[in-house]
Amino acid sequence: MRVVPEDGERTCMATQHTHQEHLSFVVFITAAAAIGGFLFGYDSSVINGAVVGIQRHFQVGPVETGIVVAVALLGSAVGAWAGGGLADRWGRTRSMQVAALLFAVSSIGQMLPFAIWDLALWRVVAGFAIGMASVLGPAYIAEVAPPAYRGRLGSFQQLAIVLGIAVSQLVNYVIARLAGGEVNNQLWLLQAWQWMLGACAIPALLYLTFALVIPESPRYLIMAGKPRRAREVLAEVEGEDVDLDARIAEIQHVVRTQRVPGLRDLRGPALGLLPIVWTGIVLSAFQQLVGINVIFYYSSVLWQSVGINQSDSLLISFSSSIINIIGTFIAISLVDRIGRRPLLLIGSAGMALSLATAAWAFSAPRVSRGGAVTLPDPQGLIALVAANLFVLFFALSWGVVVWVLLGEMFPNRIRAAALGVAAAAQWLTNWAITVSFPALAAWNLPLTYAAYALFAALSFVFVLRRIRETKGRKLEDMG
């Protein structure tokens, strides 16, 4: 016998169906915006496979190599600094379109350099696009995501970053294998490392396509004097069952009491900046001071330096990227359950222990009469396990949570500008770590890893003293 649902049940079922439709739409536009994070991860990490090829092709040493690898991060700092202001002037989606074009053009430029300085110039352009993407994704996602799902949806940015890192390592490995295992071998008229750098143009065009179709942020639309369109977007992302008039009025009230934020709005009594801005800056800096990007920029060189061949070192780099993805999924499942702060504390403790273990393992290299360097058993295995545990603890904590917090911890009136400054600080710290690693590793690799372990321990103390929980709070309540 067929059971006919009563009116109340039909209404409940219809509401659930509508809720699922809205949530699906939010997931779609969040994932589309996070493609910028994919490019961020891909373009910043793809250099890992090309480092040896660049060194041999242009015949440069470790100092020049460090500069070429790290110079993109200076562009990223400028792009992050400018990205917040551009997002407030042009809109979130228009700024995404500009970033996508810069990604595509710079990829072709890096693919076809005629000198080392030309390659460095195109890496600066790519870095500017990366910096923009690092600001635009979190800001947009935080502004379109319902509060109950904002942590998990905000995690899409970091998930996209780690997917970009993993795909870049896989593409590098495949290209190297096609070229016979050596990145300086010819492959379709170019050397293999050139194809590695040029492949980013494909996802860049995909990012441009999605940036042309996703809706503008409702908060930006209200700032731009378009409340009717903002109401339509809010209805799409939060549902008709939400009091849209109240939500519009709430955002309008915040917007009326503010103007487009600039750097002068960040001024405060704490060394010239507001305390919350300093918190964001230090949070961003600690994410890089633990040395995570050493793994993603130099891991192939690192593993080759302890006796692993070029092709296998790229495969190990890819396996680290897979662990990075696993850790990111763990963070996504927990960030809205246990909160941002507990995950940061777990990650800091785990990173400190694994980095200290890696420092010990790297302290026992053996040099053969022919000059080859290897790690003896069991230090070789311990170094590999410790490095991957470090990646796992970073991914399930600081990799995801920092971007979630930067997207939601600042008050509405300064969010874009403050996020830009914090992200710029992150890129400058990233640059300092990246440009210094080749020289520091040549001087004393174990001590370098011990320093990263110390920063991980200090990050634990910082979280205990300075980070407030933001789980479940509306953006209008921040600050």
Side-chain angles (χ1 to χ4, degrees):
M1 183 176 74
R2 183 169 173 238
V3 178
V4 180
E6 296 186 11
D7 290 345
E9 292 177 329
R10 282 196 294 266
T11 301
C12 181
M13 291 167 60
T15 301
Q16 290 177 347
H17 178 69
T18 303
H19 175 74
Q20 288 299 323
E21 285 184 344
H22 290 301
L23 183 58
S24 298
F25 179 72
V26 173
V27 169
F28 166 73
I29 63 174
T30 300
I35 296 175
F38 179 92
L39 287 163
F40 169 174
Y42 190 104
D43 214 338
S44 60
S45 180
V46 70
I47 193 70
N48 186 13
V51 166
V52 174
I54 292 168
Q55 284 179 316
R56 293 174 180 172
H57 182 76
F58 293 109
Q59 298 183 348
V60 294
V63 174
E64 294 92 338
T65 301
I67 292 172
V68 171
V69 172
V71 73
L73 304 175
L74 294 179
S76 298
V78 177
W81 188 284
L86 294 176
D88 283 328
R89 287 171 177 80
W90 298 346
R92 279 47 165 165
T93 55
R94 182 62 58 85
S95 299
M96 289 179 193
Q97 294 162 21
V98 172
L101 287 171
L102 290 176
F103 273 122
V105 172
S106 63
S107 297
I108 301 303
Q110 290 180 82
M111 184 182 185
L112 303 170
F114 53 81
I116 191 70
W117 65 263
D118 180 49
L119 174 61
L121 177 63
W122 286 114
R123 284 189 55 72
V124 172
V125 177
F128 189 90
I130 292 170
M132 287 184 66
S134 72
V135 172
L136 296 172
Y140 179 86
I141 292 169
E143 291 178 353
V144 299
Y149 301 100
R150 196 173 57 237
R152 276 167 284 182
L153 293 173
S155 302
F156 276 28
Q157 172 78 356
Q158 181 63 18
L159 176 60
I161 291 172
V162 299
L163 285 172
I165 291 170
V167 171
S168 74
Q169 303 305 321
L170 180 59
V171 169
N172 285 350
Y173 175 72
V174 170
I175 290 175
R177 295 294 295 177
L178 289 174
E182 291 290 333
V183 296
N184 289 101
N185 288 350
Q186 289 290 120
L187 183 65
W188 305 312
L189 303 179
L190 298 175
Q191 292 186 14
W193 65 268
Q194 292 176 272
W195 288 109
M196 293 177 180
L197 297 179
C200 186
I202 296 172
L205 295 176
L206 183 65
Y207 184 38
L208 176 62
T209 301
F210 279 107
L212 289 168
V213 300
I214 61 176
E216 184 54 85
S217 156
R219 286 173 178 81
Y220 172 77
L221 289 169
I222 289 176
M223 289 173 60
K226 301 176 180 178
R228 182 176 298 178
R229 177 57 184 150
R231 194 181 196 282
E232 294 173 355
V233 176
L234 281 171
E236 291 177 318
V237 300
E238 295 193 12
E240 295 286 354
D241 55 327
V242 175
D243 189 342
L244 296 177
D245 291 332
R247 293 287 291 120
I248 292 288
E250 183 181 24
I251 299 172
Q252 283 178 327
H253 173 73
V254 174
V255 170
R256 275 197 300 267
T257 59
Q258 70 180 32
R259 47 190 166 75
V260 175
L263 296 181
R264 60 181 174 273
D265 297 294
L266 308 183
R267 292 174 183 165
L271 298 176
L273 292 174
L274 294 169
I276 189 66
V277 178
W278 276 117
T279 299
I281 289 172
V282 177
L283 184 73
S284 286
F286 268 125
Q287 193 199 49
Q288 298 302 317
L289 287 170
V290 297
I292 185 62
N293 281 315
V294 165
I295 297 291
F296 297 122
Y297 297 163
Y298 293 113
S299 62
S300 66
V301 176
L302 175 66
W303 297 120
Q304 287 176 61
S305 72
V306 293
I308 296 173
N309 66 47
Q310 189 176 106
S311 182
D312 288 344
S313 71
L314 290 173
L315 190 58
I316 291 174
S317 298
F318 175 65
S319 68
S320 297
S321 298
I322 296 301
I323 291 171
N324 197 14
I325 294 172
I326 292 170
T328 300
F329 275 113
I330 294 172
I332 290 173
S333 69
L334 296 177
V335 67
D336 280 327
R337 294 182 183 179
I338 69 173
R340 286 64 160 152
R341 202 165 174 266
L343 277 179
L344 289 179
L345 292 171
I346 292 169
S348 293
M351 289 189 299
L353 291 173
S354 56
L355 283 167
T357 303
W360 169 80
F362 283 127
S363 66
R366 290 178 179 171
V367 181
S368 68
R369 291 182 179 179
V373 179
T374 59
L375 285 178
D377 291 329
Q379 280 90 343
L381 178 61
I382 290 173
L384 183 59
V385 172
N388 283 326
L389 280 175
F390 164 55
V391 171
L392 178 64
F393 277 111
F394 176 86
L396 64 81
S397 60
W398 284 76
V400 167
V401 176
V402 168
W403 290 111
V404 173
L405 281 173
L406 291 180
E408 64 187 13
M409 67 186 287
F410 301 114
N412 263 2
R413 64 185 179 84
I414 64 167
R415 179 170 298 111
L419 207 164
V421 170
Q426 184 176 133
W427 287 114
L428 286 172
T429 310
N430 191 349
W431 172 80
I433 295 295
T434 303
V435 77
S436 64
F437 178 76
L440 288 174
W443 168 64
N444 194 315
L445 182 61
L447 194 59
T448 301
Y449 270 82
Y452 299 153
L454 176 61
F455 282 123
L458 291 174
S459 72
F460 185 94
V461 178
F462 172 75
V463 173
L464 278 179
R465 299 189 61 179
R466 298 296 303 174
I467 299 300
R468 296 171 57 193
E469 186 57 69
T470 59
K471 182 182 73 169
R473 297 172 62 193
K474 291 189 294 186
L475 291 183
E476 286 67 35
D477 295 336
M478 298 299 176

